[in-house]
Amino acid sequence: MLSALRSLSSGVIVLLSALPAAAHHSFAEFDLTQTIEVHGVVEEVWFNNPHIHYYLSATAEDGSQVSWDIYGSAPNNLVRQGWTRDSVKAGDVVTMVGNPAKQGVPRISLVKVIFADGRTLQRE
Amino acid sequence: MTSMQSMAERLSALALLTLLCAPVSAEDTAFAGRWWLELAPDLVGVLELREAGGQIVGYVEGGPIDVEITGDRIVMLVDSRDVSMRQFNRRLTGKLTDGVMAGTFTTDQVEGAPAQPVPWRATRGGGVVATAGQAPTPVNFEGVWGRPAGKDLRKYRMDTTPLAEEYVANYNPDLDQPPMRCMLPGLVAQFGYPYFLEIMQRPERILFFSEAFGEVRQIYLDGRSPPEFFPNSADGFSTGHFEGETLVVETTHLKAGIRDYRGEPVSENARITERYTLLDDGQTLYGEMTIDDPENYRQPPLRRTARKRSTESILLPYECDPDSFFRQLYREGTFDEYLKRGRWRR
């Protein structure tokens, strides 16, 4: 499955495991034993309940563009951590770190955002 | 399978049968009853041991466990899950001394689990103990209460009926979970949600405002019955009364829902009992929920929650848009499958 994910984006790197904070729906769809990085350009910010999403365009190994669904936490939990609708903007070049979906689709459960200037946003 | 393996399994089954059929001794009865279970460093749960059919059976959070008692010693195998639904077992060994059980436990099948045995103990009381018959002395639960704090054992296996097991086997959490479509998941599933809660209280009614879904629960304290044709819903119809300082809430008229992520069901005939009490000089709201639903559970599952009083936050708005869920189905080509699953969706 991970090799399939690697082939989806040349920017995907396998990292160590991290577990999410309490959430209000199942995280069974994500492989929490693996963490990957996806590097690309934010296409769209979707900062709504029940969970936020960033849609990220990344370049695959064959040069094609792959749209990743970056699946975040609940907005209210993030807002209480100082993470707002404007923390990540469309057009930002970022690296998204998270747990990959088990189905091998381009979707991750977001753990951390790394901006081009090195700043980070980390989920509690 | 080799004959040696077969023999070993038969012997193992025989040993289990012998264990299950062992007569209850005087020592065993000293173990019977409700216990507050604490596993280092910070896990808690409710353990119940009781005599049934001439044997001691055990439950943690209402789910069955394997128990072996020999004299003053006890061994328990408690199954659990992590947030990724991986199942594993904790094996507790201990001894009953002066009314307190204590010992150590090991954890299997979990990467990073401590290699050395870790302490546990069980004491009488803890949580909400029996309050029936106590004269009502209402207390004020008003305030903003934070996200549920503390960690529970995430007991995995409940004493489910074949009907419940069939439902779970067909449930697809990726496609069927109500909150992904911005739908209330129901009283039971929402009990431990990681959102703030505000309580407002009058003598005749208590209101629970949940940040999740902007939900408002009404709990009538005036002894009324539900009006005729009251529709079944995610929250049902709730009445409450005080037993001592404990608020007891009973709910019926639920629509069929789910108990947890994996889709263990709750029927519309379920009867839910919640007990709330204040701890830590009023700074912690502790609640226990018992799910009486014989269609799905032979033994009522138990849920617990503890919330710290919040003086710094108010409830934030919750506007929910199912767009991202349906977009995911579209992106991943699962929309047709979703449409076919109406039977399992609640």
Side-chain angles (χ1 to χ4, degrees):
Chain A
M1 189 275 291
L2 285 171
S3 61
L5 281 170
R6 282 195 193 95
S7 69
L8 283 168
S9 167
S10 59
V12 175
I13 303 168
V14 179
L15 299 172
L16 296 173
S17 164
L19 294 176
H24 71 287
H25 96 278
S26 169
F27 273 76
E29 65 203 89
F30 297 103
D31 181 357
L32 303 186
T33 67
Q34 302 288 338
T35 304
I36 64 173
E37 288 186 354
V38 186
H39 182 74
V41 180
V42 177
E43 298 173 299
E44 182 179 348
V45 174
W46 201 90
F47 203 86
N48 287 299
N49 287 299
H51 287 260
I52 71 161
H53 292 253
Y54 299 117
Y55 297 98
L56 188 75
S57 180
T59 304
E61 286 179 344
D62 64 3
S64 64
Q65 292 297 301
V66 175
S67 177
W68 283 75
D69 182 352
I70 313 296
Y71 198 114
S73 185
N76 288 3
N77 294 336
L78 294 171
V79 164
R80 286 194 170 97
Q81 300 168 32
W83 185 324
T84 72
R85 183 181 299 276
D86 298 324
S87 295
V88 178
K89 299 183 180 68
D92 283 353
V93 177
V94 296
T95 299
M96 298 285 189
V97 183
N99 309 120
K102 291 175 181 172
Q103 302 94 325
V105 294
R107 174 159 48 102
I108 64 171
S109 171
L110 180 60
V111 173
K112 183 168 69 173
V113 183
I114 304 171
F115 295 93
D117 61 5
R119 287 181 300 117
T120 62
L121 272 175
Q122 176 92 34
R123 180 186 67 195
E124 278 185 358
Chain B
M1 179 186 294
T2 67
S3 59
M4 188 64 82
Q5 281 176 313
S6 176
M7 177 67 77
E9 287 183 2
R10 266 186 250 151
L11 284 172
S12 174
L14 186 62
L16 179 63
L17 192 63
T18 304
L19 173 67
L20 292 177
C21 296
V24 175
S25 67
E27 289 85 359
D28 292 346
T29 58
F31 284 92
R34 176 186 156 118
W35 298 85
W36 185 247
L37 187 59
E38 297 171 272
L39 277 61
D42 55 4
L43 296 174
V44 293
V46 171
L47 165 69
E48 186 175 351
L49 299 171
R50 67 167 176 263
E51 185 185 342
Q55 57 184 290
I56 289 285
V57 295
Y59 299 90
V60 167
E61 311 292 43
I65 62 170
D66 294 333
V67 183
E68 180 184 346
I69 293 173
T70 308
D72 60 357
R73 299 190 177 272
I74 187 168
V75 178
M76 296 182 282
L77 195 65
V78 183
D79 61 296
S80 298
R81 65 161 177 85
D82 64 15
V83 291
S84 191
M85 292 293 172
R86 287 174 297 184
Q87 295 179 59
F88 59 93
N89 290 312
R90 292 188 177 93
R91 181 181 175 84
L92 285 65
T93 59
K95 184 179 177 185
L96 177 63
T97 308
D98 297 331
V100 175
M101 282 189 269
T104 58
F105 71 94
T106 55
T107 305
D108 68 10
Q109 303 166 11
V110 175
E111 190 179 338
Q116 299 301 317
V118 180
W120 69 271
R121 71 172 194 155
T123 52
R124 300 290 187 180
V128 180
V129 295
T131 54
Q134 291 184 16
T137 51
V139 297
N140 190 339
F141 289 92
E142 286 197 327
V144 176
W145 302 94
R147 297 171 60 177
K151 296 179 181 176
D152 67 31
L153 286 159
R154 289 202 177 97
K155 175 71 170 75
Y156 193 81
R157 188 165 52 99
M158 292 294 144
D159 197 354
T160 44
T161 65
L163 186 69
E165 285 158 13
E166 182 200 5
Y167 187 82
V168 172
N170 285 284
Y171 196 75
N172 183 338
D174 285 357
L175 301 179
D176 300 339
Q177 292 185 79
M180 297 168 82
R181 315 190 306 277
C182 299
M183 295 291 290
L184 283 167
L187 184 64
V188 177
Q190 201 173 333
F191 185 65
Y193 262 31
Y195 286 89
F196 280 54
L197 171 75
E198 183 163 13
I199 296 178
M200 293 186 179
Q201 187 168 344
R202 294 177 178 177
E204 75 283 4
R205 196 187 310 186
I206 294 183
L207 299 176
F208 278 27
F209 296 84
S210 173
E211 189 171 88
F213 306 97
E215 172 216 24
V216 182
R217 277 187 73 193
Q218 305 198 62
I219 299 163
Y220 295 98
L221 304 178
D222 55 6
R224 76 175 66 196
S225 299
E228 193 177 8
F229 309 122
F230 188 83
N232 286 44
S233 66
D235 286 340
F237 181 85
S238 298
T239 58
H241 65 277
F242 279 91
E243 293 175 358
E245 296 184 344
T246 297
L247 171 66
V248 182
V249 182
E250 293 175 332
T251 301
T252 57
H253 291 71
L254 291 167
K255 71 176 182 182
I258 52 170
R259 189 182 73 83
D260 70 356
Y261 300 146
R262 77 190 123 149
E264 282 195 345
V266 176
S267 80
E268 61 182 19
N269 297 315
R271 187 175 192 88
I272 311 300
T273 304
E274 294 157 271
R275 288 185 167 82
Y276 292 97
T277 191
L278 295 180
L279 304 174
D280 306 330
D281 290 330
Q283 297 309 300
T284 298
L285 174 68
Y286 179 81
E288 283 188 10
M289 171 182 278
T290 305
I291 303 150
D292 286 297
D293 185 11
E295 290 178 32
N296 291 309
Y297 306 96
R298 297 185 192 91
Q299 171 76 14
L302 182 69
R303 303 198 74 170
R304 298 172 301 94
T305 185
R307 298 172 181 269
K308 295 288 185 188
R309 188 184 291 279
S310 173
T311 55
E312 296 174 353
S313 189
I314 60 172
L315 297 198
L316 299 178
Y318 188 99
E319 293 174 333
C320 195
D321 183 344
D323 171 273
S324 62
F325 172 64
F326 290 108
R327 190 186 305 206
Q328 179 181 313
L329 301 183
Y330 175 77
R331 288 166 55 97
E332 299 177 3
T334 51
F335 188 66
D336 287 345
E337 172 68 12
Y338 166 82
L339 292 177
K340 293 173 186 170
R341 299 190 53 77
R343 178 183 172 196
W344 307 107
R345 204 156 45 242
R346 290 183 168 175

